Each structure stands twice: as C-alpha cells, then as structure tokens.
Amino acid sequence: MREAAYIWMDGELVPWGEARVHVLTHALHYGTAVFEGTRVFATPDGPAVFRLEEHLARLVRSARMIGLPLPYSVDELRAATLETVAANGHADCYIRHLAHRGFGEMGIAARRCPTVVSVATWEWPPLLGTSGVRLMTSSWRRNDHRVVPVAAKATGPYLNSVLAKDEAMAAGYDEAVLLNAAGHVSECTGANLFVVRDGRLLTPPPGAGALDGITQDTLERLAADLGVPAVRQDLMRTDLYAADEILLCGTGAGVVHVTAVDGRELGGPGPVTQKLADAYDAVTHGRDDRHRDWLTPVPASGGPARSAARPHDPASDLVSRA
Ligand code: PMP
C-alpha cells in the first residue's frame, strides 16, 4: 500500500505519518468506532467519488446505532472527503472514513471519550483480485443482531470477519462465506454475495446478518436496467453448491466471480456475472449516463501545497469536546 501525502484528522490535513492516536484510545480497547470504505474512480471528466452520499449516510446511521456522537455534519464530511482526495492528487483511490472514540477516560463507559474523525485515502487495486475467488464456508458463524448491531459498520464486530478471513487463508482459500446462527448464508468477510440460478440473482435478505451493501444495491439496480430479476431470499449452504454462478461485491472488492466454493468448481465468470461486472465498470467510470448522479466530481486541486496542512497534535485528542 502506497502512502498518500495527507490524512484529514479532526478538521485539518496532517502529513500521513502524523495521523496518530493515543494507546488508551477507547476504540482500540473496546471496538467503538464506525467506518466507511468508498472509492474514487477515473472518469472522462476527472476523478469522481462513487455514491458518496450513500456512504456518508451509512456512516451517520452506523454512528447512531452505536451511540457515537458525530461532531461533523454531512456537509462538513463531504467537504473533508473531497479536500483530502484533491490534496493527495489521486486519479482513483480508496477512501477510509473512521469515527472513533478517542481517549478521555479509561473504562468501558464511553461518554467522556471524544469522537475523533479521520479521512484517509490511498490507491488500492480490487481487494480480491480479478481472476476469481476460491471460497470456503467458515466454521465461524456471522455476528447475530441480538448480540451486536450487524447493520452498523462498526469496528468491534469486524473481529468476526478477521477470524473467518484468517481461517480461510490459512486453509489455502481466498475468502470465507459466513453462515448466520440459523444456518443461512449471510455474506463474506468484506463483501456481499449473489448467487445466480436460472438467470435470476439471489442475495440474502436484510436480517441475515450482512451489511447493507452499497455495491449490492448498485448491482440490484443495474440488474433491473439489464432485465435480470433480483430477489432477496434466504440461502442455504447447499444453494451455493447448486449455483450456476456466484459473485461477490463490495467497494473494496468490486465485482468478482467465485471460481469454487468448498472445493466444488464453478469456473467462470459466467454470463450474468460478466454482464453485471461490465455494467458496474461503466457506471463507476462515468460511461453510463443513467446513473450520473452516483458520481461526485472531485474538484481540481492546486496540489498539496494549496492545502494548509498543519501537523496534528496527538495531545489534542485528549481534550474532551463534551
Ligand atoms: N459486507 C462487509 C462485511 C463489508 O465489509 C463490505 C465492505 N464495506 C461489504 C459487505 C460491501 O459493502 P459496500 O458495497 O457498501 O462496500
């Protein structure tokens, strides 16, 4: 991963290496942070952020779900995002928004720990590659909504993903698919999943334990454009084995086909996956006028020198804004 020049942290651009936190940060101990992964794509009109409004809205929802006060408005977060991408001079990149409970006081009670917000960007190729994914059913079950808020993109619950990913990679697979407590398919460690069967797209419903994926929603809308029926329904593990095609989708991963699941070969990419991947590529790169409103152009920057980047003082994290 190549470092960018700046990270936005609590209102200012700081040099990449100076975006630091205190070791007694509440979020490090108790997983009290929410985050977003968003992408900027190169378009004929310059770099553009894909579905920025939906990502910021989910960040706000996630914060509300875990009771984390967000000290910035959506307008301020949008401006910070565009400022960071422009200052770093990316043609395309990944954006990581993070809002975490900083250090205020030790202990589980979070109220006296101020929220620290950061926006980091870097150039990142599709996270699962482009040549297909070998999938393994995890021995770990997906987080359960009766235990943690699964619809919040919160850091604590991601331990579940980390364990499943490590297990799959140690066993020689690329990625894990997690079943929920009821035994239904939820999602992968960092991507949603679609099965193609008899020309229809099937994906688990809300409540199955998956993140409300923005790429998942994008593909459902693109499927409607293409006349491919898309249905949200519970899927069993054996629905994966009987699938004509399986594809994974997410901001980090893009759209990628599954070549095998638990050693059962699927090959591919199949025709429906290929059509959706092409449509996603067109829409993200500004070649589909029907969904232009999904792209927020990044204003041209005079380069990093234009941004008044002052070193961030980690000690300022200790000051409660409460
Ligand atoms: N599920 C999980 C667990 C994820 O981490 C991600 C990536 N954010 C997704 C699904 C896909 O979500 P999105 O399309 O909004 O990036």
Side-chain angles (χ1 to χ4, degrees):
M1 165 174 160
R2 199 154 60 85
E3 291 183 11
Y6 297 108
I7 290 176
W8 187 95
M9 199 165 177
D10 271 350
E12 58 192 17
L13 287 172
V14 300
W16 174 282
E18 291 175 24
R20 300 193 196 101
V21 298
H22 196 276
V23 290
L24 296 185
T25 290
H26 194 277
L28 277 176
H29 297 253
Y30 307 116
T32 44
V34 295
F35 67 106
E36 273 303 314
T38 305
R39 271 194 190 272
V40 171
F41 293 89
T43 78
D45 304 322
V49 190
F50 188 65
R51 303 198 74 177
L52 176 59
E53 298 309 314
E54 288 85 347
H55 283 283
L56 293 178
R58 189 171 64 187
L59 186 72
V60 170
R61 283 200 308 274
S62 295
R64 288 173 64 176
M65 284 182 208
I66 73 158
L68 178 74
L70 266 189
Y72 299 98
S73 67
V74 166
D75 285 349
E76 288 168 326
L77 292 170
R78 185 188 309 106
T81 308
L82 297 175
E83 182 189 12
T84 311
V85 176
N88 285 329
H90 300 294
D92 59 54
C93 67
Y94 180 88
I95 305 170
R96 173 56 57 88
H97 294 92
L98 179 73
H100 75 265
R101 284 279 188 184
F103 174 61
E105 193 170 85
M106 268 320 273
I108 289 177
R111 286 186 51 219
R112 292 175 68 85
C113 297
T115 306
V116 178
V117 178
S118 55
V119 186
T121 66
W122 62 90
E123 285 155 34
W124 221 13
L127 297 191
L128 295 169
T130 51
S131 57
V133 172
R134 301 185 69 80
L135 204 58
M136 165 191 166
T137 305
S138 183
S139 70
W140 295 98
R141 290 297 165 116
R142 194 48 157 170
N143 290 324
D144 190 290
H145 69 96
R146 291 163 293 190
V147 182
V148 285
V150 292
K153 197 166 167 62
T155 57
Y158 266 82
L159 180 57
N160 183 242
S161 281
V162 173
L163 291 169
K165 183 79 179 183
D166 276 353
E167 179 189 44
M169 292 186 78
Y173 295 84
D174 303 311
E175 176 59 317
V177 55
L178 290 117
L179 307 180
N180 63 23
H184 292 129
V185 173
S186 63
E187 61 178 341
C188 294
T189 67
N192 291 106
L193 176 146
F194 283 96
V195 159
V196 180
R197 197 168 64 210
D198 299 330
R200 294 192 318 154
L201 275 170
L202 311 174
T203 195
L211 187 73
D212 201 1
I214 292 166
T215 318
Q216 182 186 37
D217 175 74
T218 300
L219 292 192
E220 286 174 330
R221 289 163 191 249
L222 295 176
D225 294 347
L226 293 164
V228 176
V231 183
R232 293 203 176 195
Q233 67 171 58
D234 276 325
L235 296 170
M236 294 176 294
R237 178 177 184 163
T238 44
D239 288 320
L240 303 178
Y241 299 162
D244 298 329
E245 305 172 34
I246 301 175
L247 64 105
L248 310 184
C249 69
T251 300
V255 179
V256 62
H257 64 286
V258 171
T259 53
V261 53
D262 293 338
R264 290 150 169 93
E265 299 292 332
L266 279 160
V272 176
T273 302
Q274 192 59 59
K275 267 202 283 191
L276 283 171
D278 291 346
Y280 182 72
D281 191 68
V283 82
T284 50
H285 291 86
R287 298 193 312 271
D288 182 346
D289 285 335
R290 287 171 295 189
H291 301 291
R292 277 272 166 177
D293 55 328
W294 283 345
L295 291 167
T296 303
V298 178
S301 160
R306 210 194 61 169
S307 300
R310 279 174 286 136
H312 178 80
D313 175 8
S316 68
D317 295 349
L318 311 186
V319 179
S320 170
R321 277 189 304 258

